[in-house]
Amino acid sequence: MGRVHLGGFEEELKRMATTVAKAADIAPGQMGTFRADSNQIDIANVEGQFFGFDDVCTHIGCSLYDGSLAGTVVTCPCHGSQFDVTTGAVVSGPARQSIKTYPVEKVGDELQV
């Protein structure tokens, strides 16, 4: 049998959205940490917009959830590496590698990753 190609939808079908929280659970300027599939993902509320990213700092593996959020920048509590939660880019080292980001969709009051 041949494989059916679904264009851009093929990849989307592989990934099913997982509801991780209620939007009201994460106040503006705050973060939450959640398990989605086998990943620990943090979600930051930046002025009502939600951004998902890996919880683990790429420098030595500390939890970013234990750090602080200022605007769109999360600071690792271990050595001060900073990442932009909207893109995952390193803002300030010692980390050199960006963190993975995840799209967060607000469906009603639920946050889905």
Side-chain angles (χ1 to χ4, degrees):
M1 280 188 128
R3 182 176 168 159
V4 176
H5 291 280
L6 301 173
F9 296 109
E10 187 172 337
E11 194 61 35
E12 189 64 27
L13 287 174
K14 290 180 185 177
R15 187 184 78 77
M16 297 297 292
T18 301
T19 298
V20 293
K22 300 250 185 231
D25 293 341
I26 308 172
Q30 300 297 311
M31 297 184 291
T33 189
F34 309 94
R35 202 97 176 118
D37 297 324
S38 61
N39 300 317
Q40 191 69 28
I41 297 172
D42 296 343
I43 296 178
N45 181 338
V46 179
E47 298 179 9
Q49 288 189 297
F50 296 92
F51 300 94
F53 53 96
D54 272 342
D55 178 55
V56 178
C57 177
T58 57
H59 177 231
I60 62 167
C62 293
S63 170
L64 293 174
Y65 177 72
D66 293 332
S68 61
L69 180 68
T72 62
V73 176
V74 63
T75 301
C76 179
C78 292
H79 294 109
S81 292
Q82 296 181 317
F83 303 90
D84 184 321
V85 300
T86 66
T87 64
V90 175
V91 173
S92 178
R96 294 183 184 164
Q97 183 179 349
S98 63
I99 54 174
K100 184 174 181 181
T101 59
Y102 302 88
V104 178
E105 187 174 354
K106 185 177 174 190
V107 178
D109 188 42
E110 295 182 337
L111 298 178
Q112 296 182 347
V113 178

